[in-house]
Amino acid sequence: MLQSDWPLYEVFIRGRNGLSHKHAGSLHAADSKMALENARDVYTRRAEGTSIWVVPSVEITASDPADKAAFFEPTADKIYRHPTFYKVPDGVENM
Amino acid sequence: MYTQSLNGTPTDSDLSQDDREALVRFQARIDRDEKIEPNDWMPAAYRKTLVRQISQHAHSEVIGMQPEGAWLSRAPTLKRKGVLMAKIQDEAGHGLYLYSAAETLGVARSDLVDQLLSGKAKYSSIFNYPTLNWADLGAVGWLVDGAAIMNQIPLCRCSYGPYARAMIRVCKEESFHQRQGYELISDMANGTPEQHQMAQDALDRWWWPALMMFGPSDKDSAHSSKSMQWKIKRFTNDELRQKFIDATVPQGDRIGLKLPDPDLKWNASEGHYDYGEIDWEEFKRVLNGDGPCNVERMEIRTAAHENGAWVREAAAAHAEK
């Protein structure tokens, strides 16, 4: 018996208070409420989280790995954005 | 192991020049230990091998709930019942992580489930053996989960990112499975003479099937070289089997149980235990459907799927409102 799958959701979990949500995995669910409850059952069985986000996978727009080189190129030659680019004389402190 | 029935990988013949160049770049990424992610270019054979391996692994987790589920209502104490329930829930979760990883390769969950129910897809031979007495649950945790961990730890470094990440999560959870089994069987080994006998009986029956979990011997396993080249596999079947034996023999000694292999002997010059011949005819028989429980396992799985149909339909109807 073949039937079509429920929509896919991506699951994001906040591990501890003060941390940001991090991608944990995905699951199928009929609606977002079921996605949230199933995410709790599947991804936080050992108190791994204090907050969960579920997002329909189709709503995520991702950068294309094939364009990776061109897409991230503008940042590659701007080493002056890093503090280690600058010389500071020996003996200068608190900088 | 959980994917012991892989029937070789497709060949890379009939490739265009572009494909050939892409293949060289792909192998270079693998050789640099880069992870391959879902939207990255990958050879069709790599994708196909992974879909088969990951989905068979997922099916094994799902079918693997049955031998233990059979004892849920007969656990001797509330503590053991709680432990068993937690372990079975974990197996369901592991099935989900793995199905999700397989789906990132572009297959539909419903197709994978259909392949299991139609008998087209295989699962590990180990789950076609019955759990006959309570000590079997100890042997399953100690040996079956122990062998699974031995296989899954190198898979945490698998070249395919989603599979590797699923394995990391599974391994974290699985170590409790092995420890609870070892505790259970050692409690029985140190109990009354009758309990000790039950523990020994369980070990006698599970030892050889557990060794078969690592799949055919290297000399009969022609198709693992491609998986090694792609860093899906990191060790051969026989290497993993040997590691498992070397780790397990002292664990058996420690609790006074005897492994049922008269040829088992420490080989000081090799630094390994020598072991007796595995009955590969039995392995093939069980894998091809003629084990003690193959029919029962599929009947129960199919009934669970069909009996759950109304729940899925109701949830879909509710979501539409």
Side-chain angles (χ1 to χ4, degrees):
Chain A
M1 184 191 58
L2 203 59
Q3 62 171 39
S4 64
D5 288 318
W6 288 333
L8 190 65
Y9 286 82
E10 300 301 322
V11 179
F12 299 82
I13 294 176
R14 184 199 295 282
R16 271 186 294 120
N17 185 271
L19 297 180
S20 57
H21 286 73
K22 194 167 172 250
H23 186 240
S26 55
L27 50 77
H28 291 278
D31 57 27
S32 51
K33 182 167 178 281
M34 183 195 265
L36 208 49
E37 289 172 356
N38 287 358
R40 174 202 60 196
D41 291 346
V42 178
Y43 290 105
T44 63
R45 285 197 302 283
R46 290 175 175 79
E48 290 97 333
T50 58
S51 164
I52 301 176
W53 291 346
V54 289
V55 182
S57 306
V58 294
E59 298 296 332
I60 292 179
T61 306
S63 62
D64 186 345
D67 298 338
K68 193 168 73 181
F71 192 71
F72 294 104
E73 192 278 332
T75 190
D77 60 352
K78 296 179 180 60
I79 51 171
Y80 45 83
R81 285 175 172 169
H82 298 277
T84 46
F85 177 75
Y86 300 94
K87 286 195 204 72
V88 175
D90 288 347
V92 174
E93 288 178 357
N94 299 320
M95 189 178 282
Chain B
M1 154 72 27
Y2 278 4
T3 51
Q4 62 204 166
S5 67
L6 286 177
N7 299 319
T9 47
T11 59
D12 293 320
S13 52
D14 308 325
L15 289 180
S16 71
Q17 184 59 29
D18 282 356
D19 283 347
R20 249 180 262 283
E21 284 168 12
L23 202 58
V24 169
R25 282 197 299 274
F26 176 79
Q27 189 61 49
R29 292 192 65 194
I30 300 265
D31 294 342
R32 287 195 300 270
D33 271 332
E34 282 182 28
K35 289 279 186 256
I36 307 301
E37 295 295 341
N39 293 329
D40 294 348
W41 186 89
M42 64 184 86
Y46 177 83
R47 186 184 299 273
K48 194 170 172 187
T49 301
L50 277 169
V51 167
R52 242 192 319 184
Q53 171 159 344
I54 300 171
S55 63
Q56 285 180 11
H57 196 159
H59 299 328
S60 298
E61 300 283 355
V62 169
I63 297 292
M65 290 190 276
Q66 289 188 38
E68 297 181 304
W71 281 88
L72 208 42
S73 62
R74 295 178 286 171
T77 66
L78 207 50
K79 176 195 137 186
R80 293 288 182 201
K81 187 174 185 167
V83 168
L84 192 54
M85 191 70 213
K87 182 174 188 301
I88 295 168
Q89 286 173 328
D90 276 354
E91 308 298 1
H94 298 174
L96 176 98
Y97 307 153
L98 287 158
Y99 281 130
S100 295
E103 285 174 90
T104 64
L105 291 157
V107 286
R109 174 83 59 93
S110 50
D111 289 342
L112 299 178
V113 171
D114 198 54
Q115 284 167 12
L116 172 65
L117 297 180
S118 69
K120 190 170 162 242
K122 297 254 196 306
Y123 54 87
S124 176
S125 61
I126 194 73
F127 300 116
N128 289 317
Y129 290 87
T131 40
L132 299 180
N133 84 51
W134 173 250
D136 283 36
L137 284 264
V140 167
W142 173 32
L143 302 175
V144 175
D145 289 283
I149 291 170
M150 201 56 91
N151 181 56
Q152 286 167 174
I153 285 176
L155 285 175
C156 295
R157 293 189 295 128
C158 163
S159 60
Y160 188 57
Y163 193 25
R165 291 192 285 275
M167 281 299 107
I168 289 170
R169 188 175 277 274
V170 166
C171 283
K172 262 190 208 161
E173 300 183 351
E174 200 108 66
S175 99
F176 127 67
H177 297 184
Q178 188 186 21
R179 290 176 71 129
Q180 66 82 33
Y182 187 63
E183 185 201 75
L184 194 165
I185 203 165
S186 62
D187 278 359
M188 292 194 66
N190 293 311
T192 64
E194 290 79 8
Q195 286 171 331
H196 183 92
Q197 181 47 43
M198 285 167 78
Q200 184 63 54
D201 171 54
L203 175 57
D204 290 348
R205 283 179 291 104
W206 285 94
W207 174 248
W208 292 105
L211 295 189
M212 293 175 198
M213 287 175 68
F214 295 94
S217 170
D218 293 350
K219 59 181 190 298
D220 302 316
S221 176
H223 39 267
S224 65
S225 65
K226 201 75 183 172
S227 283
M228 299 276 274
Q229 186 195 332
W230 282 332
K231 296 189 182 170
I232 296 173
K233 269 178 97 145
R234 298 265 181 173
F235 297 98
T236 69
N237 295 351
D238 285 337
E239 283 169 349
L240 288 169
R241 190 167 10 248
Q242 186 69 59
K243 274 159 93 91
F244 174 72
I245 291 168
D246 292 343
T248 308
V249 173
Q251 294 167 356
D253 288 344
R254 182 71 179 74
I255 57 175
L257 294 177
K258 199 172 160 7
L259 298 179
D261 179 359
D263 297 325
L264 196 66
K265 204 169 73 246
W266 176 248
N267 183 330
S269 62
E270 296 281 335
H272 290 299
Y273 283 93
D274 292 333
Y275 57 97
E277 186 62 28
I278 291 171
D279 182 354
W280 292 115
E281 287 309 310
E282 175 182 325
F283 170 72
K284 278 183 213 147
R285 226 172 31 243
V286 176
L287 199 59
N288 290 327
D290 197 18
C293 300
N294 297 56
V295 173
E296 180 190 332
R297 299 290 186 240
M298 287 315 298
E299 278 174 2
I300 290 178
R301 185 65 233 146
T302 303
H305 189 72
E306 287 173 359
N307 295 338
W310 71 270
V311 180
R312 294 190 293 276
E313 284 160 19
H318 182 263
E320 250 174 61
K321 273 207 292 188

